[in-house]
Amino acid sequence: QVQLGDSGGRLVQAGDSLRLSCTISGLPFAAHSMAWFRQAPGKEQQFVAGISGSGETTDYADSVKGRFTISRDNAKETVYLQMNSLTFEDTANYHCALPFGDAPTTWRAADAMATWGEGTLVTVSS
């Protein structure tokens, strides 16, 4: 059974940095792309970033490009989301997700995700 465990969320101030982590078990990690989504209160799930199995290909939502960095350590079976220059608008519950497929074109669709982490809450105070 595939399981995702996301962590690292907490209350921070605007301008701060934070790193989220997601561990995965139950499948060969290096063979699969991974993604991060977020859901703010009252809003739909929003794509944040995606990364290929090798880590060579990444994709970002325009709203986080240049501030967030997705990376992975295949030896530790962990994917990270480094978030810098956080703003109030980044407040959300962040979920890591495993896509059904590995093509980067599929990363941005929430309904293309096979498995989700439970989420980790990031709250940015203005």
Side-chain angles (χ1 to χ4, degrees):
Q1 182 179 0
V2 178
Q3 291 186 323
L4 305 182
D6 32 36
S7 63
R10 61 182 177 88
L11 173 64
V12 297
Q13 293 186 336
D16 283 354
S17 296
L18 193 62
R19 189 177 79 162
L20 306 182
S21 301
C22 174
T23 57
I24 185 168
S25 61
L27 82 170
F29 179 69
H32 295 277
S33 299
M34 294 293 295
W36 284 97
F37 283 74
R38 66 186 182 186
Q39 187 167 25
K43 296 188 177 181
E44 293 184 351
Q45 197 74 264
Q46 178 191 30
F47 169 77
V48 176
I51 188 167
S52 63
S54 67
E56 293 180 354
T57 303
T58 57
D59 187 27
Y60 297 92
D62 288 343
S63 58
V64 307
K65 198 172 295 184
R67 299 188 299 122
F68 289 13
T69 302
I70 189 170
S71 63
R72 63 192 296 155
D73 185 334
N74 285 345
K76 295 182 178 180
E77 299 185 320
T78 301
V79 62
Y80 304 99
L81 185 68
Q82 177 66 42
M83 306 185 294
N84 299 330
S85 303
L86 285 162
T87 71
F88 176 76
E89 287 70 29
D90 295 317
T91 295
N93 201 22
Y94 285 72
H95 300 261
C96 62
L98 172 70
F100 280 110
D102 291 318
T105 53
T106 66
W107 296 346
R108 290 177 173 249
D111 58 7
M113 300 299 120
T115 306
W116 294 85
E118 291 188 354
T120 186
L121 181 62
V122 175
T123 303
V124 184
S125 63
S126 57

